[in-house]
Amino acid sequence: MFQAVLRDPDICAELVERLLHIRVNHVEYPELEKTIAPYYTTKGVRLDVYIKDTDKIIDVELQSYPQEALGKRTRYYQSMIDMDSLMKGQDYSELKDSYILFICKHDPFKDESDKHYGLPCYTFKNTCEENPLVNLNDKSLKLIYNASAYEKEVDERIRSFLHFIHTNEPGKDDFSNSLSALVEKIKDNEIFRRDYAAMNLHDRDLTRAAKREGIAEGLATGILQGATQNAIESAKNLLKMKLGSLEQIAQAVGLPQEKVLELQKEMQQ
């Protein structure tokens, strides 16, 4: 859904300008699900939304559940973007400014006592440890928003957006209301429903989330031992929206296909 909404270049520009506090003078049509794999032996990356401005490259990612090694993930994304953008024979000075923008529904950072820091925004730049006034000036920025702390955000426009991401309630903000209306419109689009089923049901991150909930045991043995109520509810929601085949839904939520078929029959009754 996030990718479908950002197919609109105007929406992309507004989102970037609001969250990064920069002007976007030209947006090439956003490249969704961009895959960068420079060599067949290297690990490729699949970026959610990859935006090119005249002098900038912006990667926008939405994380709806906690990710492991988020810092190293941003580091690798940065390196792949730079490698992809600089052609052979070009000078390093020709690298465009790069922005890695993560929008997280949950706080991704904790202290040593496992307590969340609770900031609405985390900004990372390369500076000198001996003298913070010395800037490496590598023209890269990593910005990570924590929607769960929207109430602490000072900027009203950003606070409204984070509130919408966290609660799905647009409130009175015009931009958030536009996003909400677009989401409802896209939900009724048959092409989106088909693409969603084809692209997202096999996403590896969904599989990892299912394993963390203890569902994987059921997959391994073909029984319901590892299935949880959350998986059953997720399967019911996908069935209601008719997103994917029984096999795809079973793989997405970590239930045996026979169980998904059983749920379908119960719902039909």
Side-chain angles (χ1 to χ4, degrees), residues 130-261:
E130 288 76 14
N131 185 346
L133 295 178
V134 179
N135 193 310
L136 189 60
N137 200 29
D138 60 351
K139 302 298 182 182
S140 67
L141 178 71
K142 300 176 182 69
L143 202 61
I144 301 173
Y145 278 97
N146 165 29
S148 67
Y150 69 88
E151 293 178 321
K152 298 180 182 179
E153 174 57 50
V154 177
D155 188 312
E156 183 178 353
R157 298 166 74 240
I158 296 178
R159 183 170 64 249
S160 298
F161 173 74
L162 295 180
H163 173 267
F164 173 59
I165 293 296
H166 184 65
T167 66
N168 288 328
E169 299 174 0
K172 298 179 180 180
D173 181 66
D174 290 341
F175 181 62
S176 297
N177 273 281
S178 297
L179 291 176
S180 181
L182 189 53
V183 166
E184 294 304 316
K185 180 179 179 181
I186 292 173
K187 282 182 180 179
D188 294 330
N189 187 293
E190 187 62 34
I191 295 178
F192 164 75
R193 291 157 68 93
R194 186 180 67 237
D195 288 349
Y196 180 89
M199 290 169 54
N200 294 333
L201 289 180
H202 290 289
D203 190 273
R204 185 169 60 181
D205 286 336
L206 287 178
T207 302
R208 285 178 176 173
K211 288 181 179 179
R212 283 197 294 269
E213 292 180 29
I215 300 171
E217 294 87 350
L219 284 174
T221 61
I223 62 176
L224 300 180
Q225 245 179 352
T228 67
Q229 189 61 34
N230 286 339
I232 293 174
E233 291 302 319
S234 297
K236 287 181 178 179
N237 288 334
L238 292 173
L239 288 169
K240 286 178 184 178
M241 297 179 68
K242 299 180 180 179
L243 293 176
S245 65
L246 295 179
E247 180 182 1
Q248 289 173 322
I249 293 174
Q251 291 182 1
V253 303
L255 289 174
Q257 188 171 335
E258 294 78 9
K259 179 60 178 178
V260 177
L261 177 60

Side-chain angles (χ1 to χ4, degrees), residues 58-121:
I58 304 162
D59 169 40
V60 186
E61 306 283 332
L62 178 67
Q63 302 294 325
S64 58
Y65 50 89
Q67 291 280 1
E68 298 176 359
L70 182 62
K72 290 185 177 180
R73 182 184 291 254
T74 63
R75 170 183 162 188
Y76 195 73
Y77 282 15
Q78 179 72 65
S79 65
M80 290 293 101
I81 288 174
D82 288 342
M83 191 175 296
D84 184 63
S85 64
L86 195 65
M87 301 297 291
K88 184 177 181 180
Q90 287 185 302
D91 189 76
Y92 295 122
S93 61
E94 298 179 70
L95 274 173
K96 292 186 176 183
D97 294 3
S98 69
Y99 298 82
I100 307 294
L101 174 59
F102 272 71
I103 305 166
C104 302
K105 296 193 73 173
H106 307 281
D107 194 339
F109 298 110
K110 297 180 180 179
D111 60 20
E112 294 180 355
S113 61
D114 205 36
K115 181 181 179 181
H116 290 290
Y117 286 101
L119 297 177
C121 180

Side-chain angles (χ1 to χ4, degrees), residues 21-34:
H21 305 288
I22 59 175
R23 293 295 301 172
V24 177
N25 51 46
H26 168 73
V27 175
E28 294 182 18
Y29 195 80
E31 193 169 347
L32 306 181
E33 289 278 337
K34 178 178 176 63

Side-chain angles (χ1 to χ4, degrees), residues 9-67:
D10 292 332
I11 293 289
C12 266
E14 171 69 18
L15 179 72
V16 167
E17 291 182 353
R18 181 173 292 214
L19 297 184
L20 292 180
H21 305 288
I22 59 175
R23 293 295 301 172
V24 177
N25 51 46
H26 168 73
V27 175
E28 294 182 18
Y29 195 80
E31 193 169 347
L32 306 181
E33 289 278 337
K34 178 178 176 63
T35 301
I36 301 176
Y39 308 104
Y40 74 93
T41 55
T42 60
K43 176 181 175 62
V45 296
R46 191 182 66 188
L47 308 177
D48 281 355
V49 181
Y50 186 76
I51 308 167
K52 286 186 178 180
D53 189 16
T54 305
D55 57 351
K56 308 176 189 70
I57 293 178
I58 304 162
D59 169 40
V60 186
E61 306 283 332
L62 178 67
Q63 302 294 325
S64 58
Y65 50 89
Q67 291 280 1

